[in-house]
């Protein structure tokens, strides 16, 4: 028995030795150089140039080494090469092939460079590759038989692949698009895959530096990956990314993003899943999961994300403000055709958000996108001691999108909210408000001009800041009467118990027909308009004093108590000006005097 084993081992060694001698001495890889070049031309449409010799390597493993190699660009492109590398080598074990096992040693590629170029006429150096691939696919479809399919399936099931490792070092990718006048460079690309075996978790490392649009992005990644025996499922476990952004448009000129996630891609079921994801950027932490079903007619995406705190203002800078100012007159409709390319259903929750200095908490955004109709129903949030609820719908089924939303604001403290938005104390009090608005077109001009709808508002227990209407009436009346009075240190506000009204919006103008203000000293009512396009207001109000004004200087003001004082409000929305309408006041005073004379005569006639 021992003798039989020794004979068998000797035979195997002899065969391996003979095969090695044949490979290294008789089989010269350079004899196949022209065949390799022809196959590359046939399959890619590009010319292959191999500089130097192809050579076998015996130690530490059997392998093939390739020197500087180029795949040339077609004529008409400035770069000589479409793809090139300085050096490549691959190791291969022969004996495992006898057991239907492919055992590949180290695969190494150094100095790999890829140049992708699109000219102004739209022609790309990838066109030849795409055409060759289409021809090959057509040929395969016409010649494939059921027997070949069965053999391929059997081969996949029986053949086991092991790779000692893959290393790509000092690689570079250049993307030059003359159509968009953009140039992007990804260099310092390094990729290392440790020993690879199907159904086993293996470590992978990746790093690269991207330069694009005045920004530098440095990426470092590490993960464990696993590929199924059928090679139809790819798992990534504990993928960790460290991304550093450097540029003038970045907050503080530099920002770091740390990301960690696990998931898989199943090519048979056409499912991409991220079961666990954590991202940290600036002071924000994001957690969630994602599921993408690709087997549907269009991709179906579902997700759940939580953001602990988000300061949107950190991401705004002067450049973005300039862009916003330029776009304020834009009539260009955004391209929303992408809304037809997938379905979406998910929930985003935000614990705290700061945006335009507004502070909002407990935000819930249930999102739904189907058949190019996007909805948020309902968006709920808390801010300034009150609550917000909104139902939003955006319909992009036609070239010009339509939208609608109804909003309810309940028990919100108005002053801190308005100070945050406008940096001005226009009004204080508790705000309750409803709006039902809709429109067509998402450019700035259309939003201002074509939005329409109705609403109502009610401020309670507050004050109009920056104007004391009661004091304004007193001073104006005394000036009209020619009475000299001393200035008093009055608070510059108009206190009210209720300030209410309803409004309609059409053609960029808010019409407010029933503005009313009530207080212990003053009643105010009237109507007016606010022009959103011109950002101006124009109101005519009537004020009547309640009770008796006690003048400190003993001036008789009983006539003032009986008058209805006309008040004008005009100017910009942010800084409206209040004034007494003297022309109307004179008419009102004449009416009062005539009425007094009539009353006196009536008393004389009837002995009253």
């Amino acid at each position: 028995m021992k003798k039989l084993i020794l004979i068998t081992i000797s035979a195997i060694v002899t065969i391996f030795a003979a095969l090695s001698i044949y490979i290294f001495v008789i089989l010269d890889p350079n004899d196949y150089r022209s065949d390799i070049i022809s196959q590359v031309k046939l399959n890619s449409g590009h010319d292959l140039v191999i500089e130097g010799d192809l050579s076998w390597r015996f130690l530490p493993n059997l392998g093939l080494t390739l020197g500087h190699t180029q795949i040339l660009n077609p004529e008409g492109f400035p770069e000589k090469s479409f793809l090139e590398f300085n050096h490549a080598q691959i190791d291969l074990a022969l004996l495992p092939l006898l057991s239907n096992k492919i055992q590949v040693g180290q695969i190494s590629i150094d100095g790999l460079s890829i140049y992708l170029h699109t000219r102004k006429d739209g022609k790309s150096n990838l066109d030849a590759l795409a055409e060759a691939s289409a021809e090959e696919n057509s040929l395969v479809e016409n010649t494939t038989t059921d027997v070949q399919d069965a053999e391929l399936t059997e081969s996949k099931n029986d053949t086991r692949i092991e790779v000692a490792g893959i290393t790509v070092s000092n690689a570079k990718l250049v993307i030059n698009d003359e159509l968009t006048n953009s140039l992007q460079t990804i260099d310092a690309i390094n990729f290392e895959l440790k020993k690879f075996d199907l159904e086993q978790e293996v470590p992978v490392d990746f790093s690269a530096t991207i330069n694009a649009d005045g920004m530098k992005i440095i990426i470092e990644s590490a993960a464990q990956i696993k590929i199924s025996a059928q090679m139809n499922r790819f798992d990534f476990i504990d993928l960790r990314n460290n991304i550093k952004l450097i540029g003038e448009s970045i907050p503080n000129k530099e920002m770091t993003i740390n990301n960690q996630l696990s998931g898989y891609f199943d090519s048979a079921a056409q499912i991409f899943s991220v079961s666990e994801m954590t991202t940290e950027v600036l002071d924000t932490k994001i957690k969630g999961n994602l599921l993408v079903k690709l087997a549907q007619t269009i991709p179906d995406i579902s997700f759940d994300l939580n953001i602990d705190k988000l300061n949107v203002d950190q991401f705004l800078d002067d450049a973005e403000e300039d862009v916003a100012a330029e776009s304020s007159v834009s009539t260009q409709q955004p391209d929303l055709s992408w809304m037809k390319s997938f379905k979406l259903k998910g929930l985003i929750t935000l614990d705290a958000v700061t945006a335009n200095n507004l502070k909002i908490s407990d935000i819930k955004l249930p999102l739904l996108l189907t058949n190019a109709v996007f909805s948020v129903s309902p968006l709920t949030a808390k801010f300034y001691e009150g609550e917000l609820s909104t139902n939003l719908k955006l319909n992009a089924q036609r070239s010009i999108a339509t939208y609608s939303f109804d909003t309810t604001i309940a028990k919100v403290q108005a002053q801190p909210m308005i100070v945050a938005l406008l940096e001005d104390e226009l009004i204080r009090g508790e705000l309750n408000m409803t709006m039902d608005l809709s429109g067509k077109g998402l450019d700035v001009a259309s939003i201002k001009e074509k939005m329409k709808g109705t609403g109502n508002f009610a401020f309670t227990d507050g004050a109009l800041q920056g104007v004391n209407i009661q004091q304004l009436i007193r001073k104006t009346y005394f000036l009209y009467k020619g009475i000299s009075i001393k200035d008093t240190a009055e608070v510059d506000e108009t206190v009210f118990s209720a300030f209410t009204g309803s409004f309609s919006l059409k053609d960029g103008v808010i019409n407010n027909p029933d503005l009313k203000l009530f207080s212990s000293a003053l009643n105010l009512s009237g109507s007016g308009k606010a022009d959103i396009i011109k950002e101006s207001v124009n109101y005519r109000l009537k004020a009547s004093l309640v009770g008796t004004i006690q003048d400190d200087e003993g001036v008789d003001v009983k006539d003032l108590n009986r008058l209805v004082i006309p008040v004008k409000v005009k100017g910009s929305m942010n800084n409206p000006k209040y004034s007494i309408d003297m022309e109307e006041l004179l008419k009102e005073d004449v009416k009062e005097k005539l009425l007094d004379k009539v009353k006196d005569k009536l008393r004389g006639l009837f002995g009253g």
Side-chain angles (χ1 to χ4, degrees):
M1 185 67 179
K2 290 182 179 179
K3 186 176 181 181
L4 178 61
I5 294 174
L6 290 174
I7 293 174
T8 303
I9 293 174
S10 299
I12 293 174
V13 171
T14 302
I15 293 172
F16 180 75
L19 185 60
S20 299
I21 293 172
Y22 174 78
I23 290 175
F24 287 103
V25 178
I26 300 175
L27 184 63
D28 185 355
N30 290 285
D31 293 340
Y32 300 93
R33 181 193 297 262
S34 59
D35 293 334
I36 295 172
I37 292 173
S38 299
Q39 285 299 313
V40 170
K41 180 69 173 180
L42 177 65
N43 290 283
S44 72
H46 292 264
D47 293 320
L48 174 67
V49 175
I50 303 174
E51 299 178 9
D53 292 335
L54 291 94
S55 58
W56 292 111
R57 187 168 52 81
F58 185 70
L59 294 175
N61 296 300
L62 174 64
L64 182 67
T65 299
L66 189 62
H68 185 255
T69 300
Q70 300 179 81
I71 296 179
L72 302 182
N73 260 329
E75 292 185 4
F77 291 90
E79 300 89 358
K80 179 181 178 182
S81 303
F82 159 66
L83 180 150
E84 65 176 316
F85 56 82
N86 295 330
H87 179 269
Q89 67 181 40
I90 180 171
D91 299 338
L92 182 66
L94 295 179
L95 287 179
L97 291 174
L98 301 175
S99 59
N100 213 22
K101 184 176 182 181
I102 300 175
Q103 192 173 69
V104 180
Q106 186 72 29
I107 300 174
S108 301
I109 303 176
D110 180 65
L112 173 66
S113 296
I114 301 174
Y115 302 92
L116 305 180
H117 195 125
T118 302
R119 301 189 314 211
K120 289 184 178 179
D121 60 4
K123 188 172 179 60
S124 167
N125 61 348
L126 288 174
D127 291 346
L129 182 63
E131 292 170 1
S133 177
E135 292 178 2
E136 182 181 0
N137 289 339
S138 176
L139 180 62
V140 170
E141 289 175 1
N142 292 333
T143 58
T144 299
T145 64
D146 294 338
V147 173
Q148 288 173 319
D149 288 341
E151 290 176 351
L152 182 61
T153 302
E154 182 181 355
S155 175
K156 283 185 178 180
N157 290 334
D158 295 342
T159 302
R160 187 173 182 85
I161 300 175
E162 292 182 8
V163 179
I166 300 175
T167 301
V168 178
S169 57
N170 304 312
K172 178 173 67 174
L173 172 64
V174 178
I175 305 173
N176 188 355
D177 191 338
E178 295 181 14
L179 285 175
T180 59
N181 194 30
S182 66
L183 176 64
Q184 299 179 16
T185 302
I186 306 175
D187 51 21
I189 300 173
N190 293 284
F191 173 84
E192 184 177 8
L193 172 68
K194 302 294 172 50
K195 182 180 179 180
F196 173 74
D197 193 1
L198 296 177
E199 294 290 352
Q200 301 296 318
E201 293 184 13
V202 294
V204 177
D205 294 298
F206 172 82
S207 64
T209 299
I210 303 173
N211 293 282
D213 300 325
M215 184 186 302
K216 186 176 183 179
I217 306 173
I218 303 172
I219 303 173
E220 294 181 353
S221 301
Q224 298 281 329
I225 66 169
K226 183 173 73 171
I227 299 178
S228 66
Q230 291 75 28
M231 292 187 289
N232 58 7
R233 174 163 168 150
F234 173 83
D235 286 75
F236 48 95
I237 302 99
D238 195 23
L239 170 59
R240 296 173 181 264
N241 300 304
N242 180 275
I243 304 170
K244 181 177 289 187
L245 308 178
I246 303 171
E248 291 296 321
S249 60
I250 302 300
N252 301 319
K253 307 293 188 293
E254 184 175 310
M255 181 170 66
T256 299
I257 302 173
N258 290 306
N259 174 268
Q260 181 179 352
L261 62 154
S262 298
Y264 69 90
F265 173 68
D266 190 322
S267 61
Q270 288 290 286
I271 290 177
F272 174 73
S273 172
V274 177
S275 56
E276 299 177 13
M277 181 192 72
T278 301
T279 299
E280 296 184 13
V281 51
L282 296 178
D283 296 326
T284 299
K285 293 182 180 179
I286 305 171
K287 294 183 178 181
N289 55 71
L290 171 72
L291 179 65
V292 182
K293 298 178 181 179
L294 300 170
Q296 315 295 324
T297 306
I298 59 176
D300 192 338
I301 304 171
S302 58
F303 65 91
D304 193 337
L305 293 178
N306 172 259
I307 303 173
D308 66 340
K309 56 182 177 180
L310 176 63
N311 188 345
V312 179
D313 296 341
Q314 291 184 100
F315 299 93
L316 301 178
D317 56 20
D318 294 336
E320 289 177 320
E321 290 174 4
D322 293 340
V323 170
E326 292 174 2
S327 64
S328 62
V329 294
S330 172
T331 57
Q332 182 68 37
Q333 295 293 332
D335 182 6
L336 300 179
S337 57
W338 56 268
M339 291 176 60
K340 301 177 182 179
S341 59
F342 61 89
K343 295 179 180 180
L344 178 73
K345 183 178 183 180
L347 175 66
I348 301 176
T349 57
L350 301 100
D351 299 337
V353 173
T354 300
N356 288 328
N357 295 320
L358 279 175
K359 297 187 181 300
I360 312 171
S361 64
D362 298 329
I363 302 172
K364 292 184 179 180
L365 290 162
L367 310 178
L368 181 65
L369 172 62
T370 180
N371 298 324
V373 177
F374 175 75
S375 63
V376 183
S377 183
L379 181 160
T380 58
K382 296 180 180 179
F383 68 130
Y384 301 101
E385 302 180 34
E387 297 181 346
L388 166 73
S389 178
T390 294
N391 295 293
L392 168 68
K393 181 176 288 187
L394 174 63
N395 190 329
Q397 292 177 336
R398 298 186 178 182
S399 58
I400 300 180
T402 60
Y403 59 89
S404 63
F405 61 93
D406 60 84
T407 300
T408 299
I409 297 174
K411 299 181 179 181
V412 170
Q413 292 302 312
Q415 187 179 49
M417 178 185 69
I418 293 175
V419 168
L421 276 175
L422 305 177
E423 298 182 353
D424 198 351
E425 298 179 355
L426 292 178
I427 190 171
R428 62 180 169 85
E430 184 181 276
L431 171 62
N432 290 276
M433 185 176 185
T434 62
M435 293 184 293
D436 191 352
L437 303 174
S438 62
K440 184 177 182 179
L442 297 179
D443 60 289
V444 176
S446 293
I447 291 174
K448 286 186 173 183
E449 296 172 5
K450 296 181 180 180
M451 186 186 296
K452 59 183 180 179
T454 59
N456 59 74
F457 62 89
F459 294 87
T460 55
D461 299 325
L464 297 176
Q465 303 292 129
V467 60
N468 188 328
I469 296 178
Q470 182 177 336
Q471 182 68 2
L472 177 64
I473 292 172
R474 178 178 180 272
K475 287 183 177 181
T476 305
Y477 181 75
F478 287 162
L479 181 63
Y480 162 64
K481 289 292 189 179
I483 301 172
S484 177
I485 60 171
K486 295 179 181 179
D487 288 333
T488 57
E490 296 282 349
V491 178
D492 203 18
E493 65 178 19
T494 301
V495 178
F496 58 77
S497 58
F499 179 42
T500 66
S502 64
F503 65 87
S504 61
L505 172 61
K506 186 178 181 181
D507 299 328
V509 177
I510 299 174
N511 185 26
N512 175 205
D514 54 357
L515 187 69
K516 294 179 181 179
L517 182 147
F518 304 98
S519 75
S520 60
L522 176 72
N523 286 338
L524 191 70
S525 63
S527 62
K529 296 181 179 181
D531 193 316
I532 297 176
I533 299 171
K534 297 179 180 179
E535 298 184 353
S536 63
V537 295
N538 187 356
Y539 275 77
R540 289 188 175 273
L541 310 174
K542 290 185 178 181
S544 58
L545 301 178
V546 179
T548 301
I549 295 180
Q550 300 295 327
D551 188 78
D552 295 336
E553 303 180 26
V555 179
D556 185 8
V557 292
K558 63 181 180 180
D559 291 341
L560 180 59
N561 293 337
R562 295 182 300 174
L563 291 176
V564 176
I565 310 299
V567 180
K568 293 192 296 185
V569 185
K570 297 188 70 173
S572 68
M573 288 182 174
N574 292 344
N575 189 24
K577 302 299 182 183
Y578 295 80
S579 63
I580 302 299
D581 190 336
M582 294 303 299
E583 183 178 350
E584 289 295 323
L585 177 60
L586 289 173
K587 293 179 182 178
E588 188 68 28
D589 190 31
V590 169
K591 290 179 182 178
E592 289 293 330
K593 288 179 179 179
L594 288 174
L595 182 59
D596 286 343
K597 289 180 180 180
V598 171
K599 288 180 179 179
D600 289 341
K601 288 184 178 182
L602 289 173
R603 290 191 189 100
L605 287 173
F606 295 100

